[in-house]
């Protein structure tokens, strides 16, 4: 899940402003939503793919959905439904731990189902229900947001992502917006997908779960949601953990550049590791690895490499596969192996890495919702002009020379959000310092390839909370990193609100 969250961030998941507190009149209109009761049932019918169906069939899991207004300015109008998956507490529950795994576009229900064995071993699950949610437009939540079919993603007939999306004209931007509106059931569904509404959905979910205050875990983009919730409802916060935290003090372009800088640093590390082998596909000189990579992929710019299943492998696929593999040092051997096979004429391993990034299953279903990712970002973030987007692509080529090929950086680019049917809801910077909060906890890995450690420091400072620094090279640490130190520190905070000392440090 987090492998894709890394690239969802790099693909333009930019920070969003914390929403202002809703007015009292609007709150009064939400009474019926706050009083609804959940109908927890088995999850076998909640899965949206064959792969998830196997996970969701586990009898330990329960599923339900929460009704929320589609448009909070019209609470009596059309409704949306937010899907939930729950692992009930082993003992008497003190409340629920609400989880978002990142994106935008990551499914919290799938995350809980796929990490279930880890949660079943966790002491947090002794006293808390573990609840994953699908933000509006994602997974089993409704309305669904769709711009392109799985078959079109297979064929590459979608806006492709390298340094920026390859949207090179106003006409292409118009087509994207029109397709998304048509595939999502209308403009209203599309333009209500932003993070501000997700945060208000979270508050209704908290109330319906029966919790007076929110206990929350957010990874990557999920850290934005948690910080926005804290800024909007500070009096309703019990505990908030932000793992792989997004920097709240950078502009959208600055944040994008910092993420690519982090990704390049991890590629440089991978190249140095590879060079220790005499037959390294990237050569014996790590300083020349960027040139060597471009040499390997250059033939694919014009002609995709053939694959066994007939889909082919494009240059965009290669970079998605490599980037996804860089999210964790444990995955670096897979990247090296795939590049070695690709140079030898076998593209299947790199295609498999690309499919892992997309969470594509053997039956061709895509587990991560990139259409929702675009919709959320377009409603969250200021839209760059063509001149700004083009300049950004050029700058990414400089800070991340592994991406420095003409097809990624030398064109004239338009924002994928240029023709979106409603203006963005938030300005930047997206989060001011928040006062009066209970203690929060930010977990930040020193070698995070997508959300650099400096951003975690800035997030902890903005929230006036604690910071756990984790030495390692991956995106996200709690539960997923295999570190008892991290799990113990976060567990103590979630269970008993015990925060670590100012110099707290763990390693992966």
């Amino acid at each position: 899940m987090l492998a894709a969250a890394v690239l969802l961030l790099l693909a333009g998941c930019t920070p969003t402003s914390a929403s202002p507190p809703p007015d009292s009149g609007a709150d009064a209109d939400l009474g019926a939503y706050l009083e609804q009761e959940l109908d927890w049932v088995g999850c076998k019918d909640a899965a949206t793919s064959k792969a998830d169906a196997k996970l969701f069939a586990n009898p330990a899991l329960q599923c339900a959905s929460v009704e929320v207004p589609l448009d909070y300015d019209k609470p009596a109008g059309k409704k949306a439904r937010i899907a939930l998956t729950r692992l009930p507490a082993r003992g008497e529950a003190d409340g629920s731990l609400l989880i978002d795994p990142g994106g935008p576009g990551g499914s919290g229900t799938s995350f809980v189902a796929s990490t279930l064995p880890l949660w079943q071993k966790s002491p947090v699950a002794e006293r808390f229900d573990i609840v994953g949610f699908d933000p509006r437009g994602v997974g089993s939540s409704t309305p669904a947001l769709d711009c392109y079919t799985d078959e079109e993603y297979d064929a590459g007939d979608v806006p492709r992502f390298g340094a920026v999306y390859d949207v090179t004209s106003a006409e292409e931007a118009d087509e994207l917006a029109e397709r998304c509106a048509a595939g999502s059931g209308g403009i209203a569904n599309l333009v209500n997908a932003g993070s501000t509404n997700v945060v208000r959905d979270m508050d209704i979910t908290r109330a319906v779960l029966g919790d007076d205050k929110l206990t929350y875990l957010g990874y990557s983009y999920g850290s934005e949601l948690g910080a926005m919730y804290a800024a909007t409802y500070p009096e309703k916060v019990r505990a908030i953990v932000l793992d792989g935290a997004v920097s709240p003090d950078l502009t959208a372009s600055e944040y994008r550049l910092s993420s690519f800088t982090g990704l390049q640093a991890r590629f440089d590390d991978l190249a140095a590791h590879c060079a220790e082998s005499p037959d390294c596909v990237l050569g014996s000189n790590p300083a020349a690895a960027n040139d060597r990579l471009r040499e390997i992929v250059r033939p694919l710019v014009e002609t995709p490499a053939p694959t066994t299943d007939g889909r082919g492998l494009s240059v965009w696929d290669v970079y998605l596969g490599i980037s996804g593999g860089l999210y964790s040092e444990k995955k670096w051997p897979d990247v090296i192996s795939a590049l070695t096979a690709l140079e030898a004429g076998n593209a299947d391993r790199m295609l498999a890495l690309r499919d892992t990034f997309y969470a594509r299953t053997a039956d061709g279903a895509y587990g991560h919702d990139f259409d929702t990712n675009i919709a959320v970002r377009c409603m969250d973030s200021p839209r760059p002009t063509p001149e700004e987007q083009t300049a950004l692509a050029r700058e990414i080529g400089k800070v991340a020379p592994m991406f420095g090929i003409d097809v990624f950086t030398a064109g004239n680019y338009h924002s994928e959000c240029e023709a979106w049917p409603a203006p963005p809801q938030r300005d930047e910077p997206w989060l001011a310092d928040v006062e009066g909060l209970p203690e929060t906890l930010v977990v930040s890995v020193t070698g995070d390839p997508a959300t650099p450690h400096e951003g975690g420091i800035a997030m902890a400072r903005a929230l006036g909370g604690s910071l756990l620094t984790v030495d390692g090279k991956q995106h996200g640490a709690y539960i997923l990193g295999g570190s008892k130190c991290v799990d113990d520190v976060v567990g103590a905070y979630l269970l008993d609100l015990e925060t670590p000392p100012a110099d707290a440090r763990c390693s992966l």
Side-chain angles (χ1 to χ4, degrees):
M1 175 66 69
L2 287 180
V6 171
L7 271 297
L8 288 170
L9 282 162
L10 294 179
C13 165
T14 48
T16 58
S17 290
S19 56
D23 61 61
S24 57
D27 273 348
D29 292 335
L30 298 178
Y33 294 101
L34 299 172
E35 295 169 3
Q36 63 187 294
E37 295 185 3
L38 294 176
D39 181 21
W40 292 104
V41 297
C43 293
K44 65 182 182 67
D45 296 326
T48 56
S49 71
K50 290 182 179 178
D52 271 358
K54 295 179 181 179
L55 296 171
F56 280 48
N58 193 314
L61 293 173
Q62 300 173 344
C63 285
S65 64
V66 177
E67 190 172 73
V68 297
L70 177 66
D71 182 346
Y72 276 90
D73 289 335
K74 302 174 183 178
K78 293 182 178 179
K79 310 295 191 292
R81 297 201 73 89
I82 307 304
L84 309 176
T85 292
R86 176 175 75 171
L87 171 65
R90 293 191 296 272
E92 183 176 351
D94 289 342
S96 301
L97 173 62
L98 191 66
I99 301 174
D100 181 90
S107 165
T109 63
S110 293
F111 178 79
V112 169
S114 63
T115 56
L116 185 62
L118 299 176
W119 290 110
Q120 288 174 319
K121 297 176 183 176
S122 170
V124 174
E126 177 70 31
R127 287 172 39 198
F128 282 84
D129 296 336
I130 307 302
V131 180
F133 77 103
D134 291 348
R136 51 176 63 201
V138 175
S140 299
S141 291
T142 59
L145 301 179
D146 291 305
C147 308
Y148 297 91
T149 65
D150 289 344
E151 291 75 19
E152 287 170 320
Y153 273 99
D154 270 355
D157 296 332
V158 298
R160 296 170 294 186
F161 183 77
V164 296
Y165 278 105
D166 65 330
V167 176
T168 57
S169 69
E171 290 74 21
E172 289 179 5
D174 287 340
E175 179 185 3
L176 172 58
E178 291 168 0
R179 287 193 59 128
C180 291
S184 301
I187 289 175
N189 292 345
L190 194 63
V191 302
N192 281 293
S195 297
T196 298
N197 280 345
V198 175
V199 168
R200 298 189 71 175
D201 296 343
M202 289 166 59
D203 194 55
I204 289 179
T205 301
R206 171 202 58 77
V208 173
L209 286 170
D211 295 337
D212 292 334
K213 295 187 177 183
L214 179 71
T215 301
Y216 174 79
L217 167 64
Y219 295 92
S220 198
Y221 161 74
S223 73
E224 295 185 41
L225 295 177
M228 289 173 67
Y229 186 95
T232 308
Y233 304 104
E235 75 285 358
K236 297 179 181 179
V237 171
R238 175 188 173 272
I240 287 181
V241 176
L242 308 179
D243 193 343
V246 172
S247 177
D249 60 355
L250 299 179
T251 67
S253 294
E254 289 169 343
Y255 173 70
R256 183 89 67 92
L257 288 171
S258 76
S259 296
F260 274 96
T261 301
L263 196 68
Q264 179 67 49
R266 299 293 77 76
F267 180 74
D268 293 345
D269 291 340
L270 177 146
H273 170 73
C274 181
E276 296 174 359
S277 172
D279 57 351
C280 171
V281 67
L282 293 171
S284 59
N285 179 10
N290 295 309
D291 292 336
R292 181 74 182 107
L293 175 62
R294 293 192 294 265
E295 179 183 339
I296 294 170
V297 303
R298 191 168 288 116
L300 277 65
V301 172
E302 296 295 334
T303 306
T307 56
T308 301
D309 66 1
R311 284 187 287 149
L313 179 81
S314 73
V315 67
W316 286 272
D317 295 330
V318 172
Y319 275 84
L320 293 177
I322 292 172
S323 300
L326 290 174
Y327 93 106
S328 172
E329 190 171 6
K330 297 174 184 177
K331 299 292 184 181
W332 293 358
D334 295 339
V335 176
I336 294 169
S337 175
L339 281 171
T340 302
L342 178 61
E343 189 184 37
N346 183 346
D348 287 349
R349 290 187 183 180
M350 188 61 74
L351 185 64
L353 282 182
R354 175 265 188 200
D355 287 349
T356 298
F357 159 64
Y358 275 123
R360 182 189 184 274
T361 61
D363 60 346
Y366 282 72
H368 296 305
D369 199 327
F370 284 77
D371 294 342
T372 297
N373 177 267
I374 292 174
V376 173
R377 288 184 292 100
C378 289
M379 290 308 301
D380 278 357
S381 304
R383 294 164 194 173
T385 65
E387 293 77 17
E388 291 169 335
Q389 188 80 335
T390 297
L392 176 61
R394 306 282 196 275
E395 190 64 22
I396 288 172
K398 295 177 182 178
V399 303
M402 63 179 288
F403 285 87
I405 58 177
D406 286 352
V407 72
F408 291 159
T409 62
N412 294 312
Y413 301 99
H414 289 244
S415 168
E416 65 276 16
C417 303
E418 182 176 276
W420 217 248
Q425 297 173 328
R426 294 296 148 202
D427 298 321
E428 52 189 16
W430 64 279
L431 182 70
D433 291 352
V434 182
E435 298 181 357
L437 274 180
E439 194 74 31
T440 57
L441 177 60
V442 172
V443 181
S444 184
V445 180
T446 56
D448 191 315
T451 53
H453 181 53
E454 294 78 10
I457 296 172
M459 178 70 87
R461 182 174 61 246
L463 297 177
S466 295
L467 173 69
L468 174 62
T469 295
V470 182
D471 294 309
K473 297 175 181 178
Q474 76 170 43
H475 183 53
Y478 176 57
I479 287 290
L480 306 173
S483 169
K484 184 178 185 300
C485 176
V486 172
D487 292 352
D488 286 350
V489 171
V490 177
Y493 168 70
L494 288 173
L495 287 168
D496 300 315
L497 303 181
E498 295 179 6
T499 54
D503 59 350
R505 206 169 191 106
C506 292
S507 61
L508 296 177

